[in-house]
């Protein structure tokens, strides 16, 4: 590859994992994206595997072709001629959704409902879909406010984890919590463990539940005060006992389980809150006791996606390692094995948590650059 003034030349083509239809992913050669004068080109180092992309692939909820992957960190390879504040070679974490901050939804801080926010501002080709499962991505101007530079002591993996941690912190901020409140986190996969850790850092008494004993042990390490298996016959009685019969101040459902929603609603105290974080498949329905919402004032709320205005706070937590996200990473796959990574993430094993795609020249998950 030809170099100019010490900067590697940008190739004309690259490898990418292309979604061609339901459960159909193919490693193909595509053109490297061309940027506008106010955009960035970033060479991808790490991209996390997210349940949102898994659902699109396995349920065919969006038309092909697309290149998915949005939990992305890498190195700036090209800076648009009119763009200031960025340099080639800087290591950055990307953020693919940024709202306009001016529309009706944004004035209510409902950023995920903003029309601009619903556009994806990072692409590796085709309809923008994140693009992290490729060697290079184009970062459009409207999402540049979400780009975060990675400090020298931190790894690309930590940069890629900013986006999922952001989604969790956003959800927590939707809850009306006081220090030492009791919060149930149902599910201790990667997202559930993020909730457990962030809630513990905020002084909550976390009750963690999961079907896998290994994950319950991890939950204790991440700050849970109590752990329970949700399939125990005495689950509700034990949970109520832990709260001294007061009931939960909040319950967070991180798995798409209707039974978990019913458990959460039953255990919430009067004027408590139940937050849904995983029920993202449209058309899903279940029966609920609506009198609990009305007479007992139990809030049923949801939270979806991230809030770029939290990026500074999230970066301080992750890069300062108050929340050391490296402990969540259990598997790394090369780009050519993205399909295997997605299969493992969709059907996790006892020893699997967060899974990332790592490019050829960034083998170590803790590599700094």
């Amino acid at each position: 590859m030809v170099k100019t003034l010490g900067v590697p030349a940008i190739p004309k083509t690259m490898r990418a994992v292309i979604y061609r239809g339901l459960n159909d992913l193919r490693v193909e050669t595509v053109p490297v994206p061309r940027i506008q004068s106010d955009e960035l080109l970033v060479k991808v180092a790490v991209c996390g595997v997210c349940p949102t992309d898994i659902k699109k692939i396995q349920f065919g909820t969006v038309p092909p072709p697309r290149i998915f992957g949005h939990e992305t960190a890498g190195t700036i390879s090209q800076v648009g001629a009119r763009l200031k504040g960025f340099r080639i070679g800087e290591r950055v974490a990307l953020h693919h959704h940024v709202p306009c901050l001016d529309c009706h939804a944004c004035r209510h801080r409902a950023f995920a409902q903003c029309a601009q926010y619903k556009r994806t501002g990072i692409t590796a080709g085709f309809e923008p879909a994140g693009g992290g499962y490729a060697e290079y991505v184009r970062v459009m101007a409207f999402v540049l406010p979400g780009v975060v530079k990675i400090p020298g002591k931190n790894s690309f993996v930590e940069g890629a984890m900013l986006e999922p941690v952001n989604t969790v912190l956003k959800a927590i901020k939707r809850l009306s919590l006081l220090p030492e409140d009791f919060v149930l986190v149902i599910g201790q996969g990667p997202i559930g463990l993020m909730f457990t850790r962030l809630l513990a850092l905020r002084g909550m008494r976390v009750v963690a539940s999961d079907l896998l004993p290994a994950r319950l042990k991890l939950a204790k390490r991440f700050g849970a005060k109590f752990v329970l298996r949700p399939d125990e016959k005495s689950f509700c009685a034990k949970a109520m006992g832990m709260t001294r019969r007061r009931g939960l101040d909040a319950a967070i459902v991180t798995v798409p389980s209707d039974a978990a929603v019913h458990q959460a609603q039953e255990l919430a105290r009067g004027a408590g809150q139940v937050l849904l974080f995983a029920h993202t498949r449209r058309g899903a329905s279940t029966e609920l006791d609506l009198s609990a919402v009305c007479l007992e004032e139990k809030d049923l709320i949801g939270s979806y996606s991230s809030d770029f205005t939290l990026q500074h706070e999230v970066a301080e937590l992750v890069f300062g390692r108050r929340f050391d996200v490296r402990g969540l990473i259990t598997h790394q796959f090369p780009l050519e094995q993205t399909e295997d990574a997605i299969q493992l993430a969709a059907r996790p094993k006892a020893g699997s948590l967060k899974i990332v795609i790592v490019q050829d020249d960034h083998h170590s998950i803790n590599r700094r650059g």
Side-chain angles (χ1 to χ4, degrees):
M1 185 179 293
V2 178
K3 295 185 179 182
T4 304
L5 299 177
V7 177
I10 297 166
K12 292 182 179 180
T13 62
M14 66 178 182
R15 296 168 302 148
V17 178
I18 301 179
Y19 165 70
R20 290 292 183 183
L22 185 67
N23 287 316
D24 185 359
L25 294 176
R26 307 178 192 179
V27 180
E28 300 182 21
T29 298
V30 298
V32 170
R34 299 184 66 176
I35 65 169
Q36 302 294 317
S37 60
D38 56 354
E39 297 178 342
L40 293 175
L41 184 71
V42 172
K43 190 177 192 301
V44 177
V46 174
C47 185
V49 176
C50 173
T52 301
D53 288 337
I54 293 172
K55 290 172 185 175
K56 292 173 183 175
I57 293 163
Q58 295 192 335
F59 294 110
T61 57
V62 295
R66 302 194 187 217
I67 302 172
F68 292 119
H70 58 265
E71 299 174 357
T72 305
T75 304
I76 296 176
S77 293
Q78 189 176 18
V79 179
R82 294 195 295 114
L83 192 57
K84 306 296 183 184
F86 296 97
R87 291 184 295 106
I88 291 173
E90 287 183 318
R91 300 158 62 246
V92 290
L94 305 182
H95 201 74
H96 63 308
H97 290 310
V98 171
C100 73
L101 299 180
D102 188 51
C103 69
H104 183 77
C106 285
R107 291 197 296 273
H108 285 270
R109 294 192 66 81
F111 298 136
Q113 309 310 314
C114 165
Q116 176 174 291
Y117 184 97
K118 292 179 180 182
R119 294 172 53 208
T120 299
I122 299 176
T123 182
F126 309 110
E127 180 71 19
Y133 301 152
E135 292 186 273
Y136 289 87
V137 291
R138 170 189 164 209
V139 184
M140 300 179 202
F142 77 93
V143 295
L144 289 174
V147 174
V148 176
K149 296 176 184 178
I150 302 173
K153 68 169 184 159
N154 296 107
S155 66
F156 285 114
V157 162
E158 289 171 293
M161 289 293 288
L162 292 191
E163 197 275 345
V165 172
N166 187 308
T167 68
V168 171
L169 183 61
K170 173 196 170 182
I172 289 172
K173 287 179 176 284
R174 296 211 66 195
L175 298 171
S176 301
L177 295 173
L178 299 173
E180 299 193 354
D181 274 355
F182 285 92
V183 183
L184 171 65
V185 180
I186 300 176
Q188 293 298 301
I191 289 293
L193 288 169
M194 290 183 211
F195 271 107
T196 293
R197 181 60 182 153
L198 290 178
L199 287 163
L201 286 173
R202 296 169 80 86
M204 306 305 152
R205 288 179 281 194
V206 179
V207 182
S209 74
D210 200 279
L211 293 169
L212 298 176
R215 289 189 169 181
L216 293 180
K217 288 182 181 179
L218 273 173
K220 293 286 283 187
R221 280 176 40 200
F222 274 69
K225 189 172 182 65
F226 307 101
V227 295
L228 284 172
R229 284 181 61 103
D231 56 350
E232 291 184 42
K233 290 184 178 179
S234 58
F235 174 82
C236 288
K238 285 184 177 180
M240 287 297 290
M242 292 169 180
T243 69
R244 302 173 193 145
R245 310 301 304 171
R246 185 179 74 193
L248 297 164
D249 297 289
I252 300 166
V253 184
T254 75
V255 291
S257 163
D258 291 353
V261 177
H262 297 158
Q263 280 184 333
Q265 188 186 49
E266 179 181 350
L267 289 169
R269 62 167 170 78
Q273 295 175 289
V274 175
L275 185 141
L276 305 186
F277 196 80
H279 285 74
T280 57
R281 192 176 178 188
R282 294 195 182 277
S285 62
T286 191
E287 292 185 2
L288 288 173
D289 182 355
L290 298 181
S291 71
V293 177
C294 186
L295 295 176
E296 297 170 35
E297 300 181 315
K298 296 182 181 183
D299 290 343
L300 178 63
I301 61 176
S303 185
Y304 181 70
S305 199
S306 56
D307 175 354
F308 96 101
T309 67
L310 300 177
Q311 281 289 74
H312 180 71
E313 184 176 353
V314 171
E316 284 190 341
L317 283 166
V318 173
F319 292 150
R321 294 183 179 154
R322 287 189 67 215
F323 182 4
D324 192 344
V325 296
R326 295 173 298 173
L328 288 168
I329 312 300
T330 57
H331 292 76
Q332 54 180 318
F333 288 80
L335 185 66
E336 287 79 7
Q337 295 177 21
T338 297
E339 185 172 9
D340 294 334
I342 287 170
Q343 289 297 328
L344 179 58
R347 297 174 182 82
K349 299 178 181 178
S352 64
L353 287 170
K354 188 65 179 178
I355 296 162
V356 296
I357 306 301
V358 181
Q359 300 284 356
D360 291 344
D361 50 351
H362 298 287
H363 289 296
S364 171
I365 62 174
N366 295 320
R367 184 180 172 90
R368 293 190 293 272

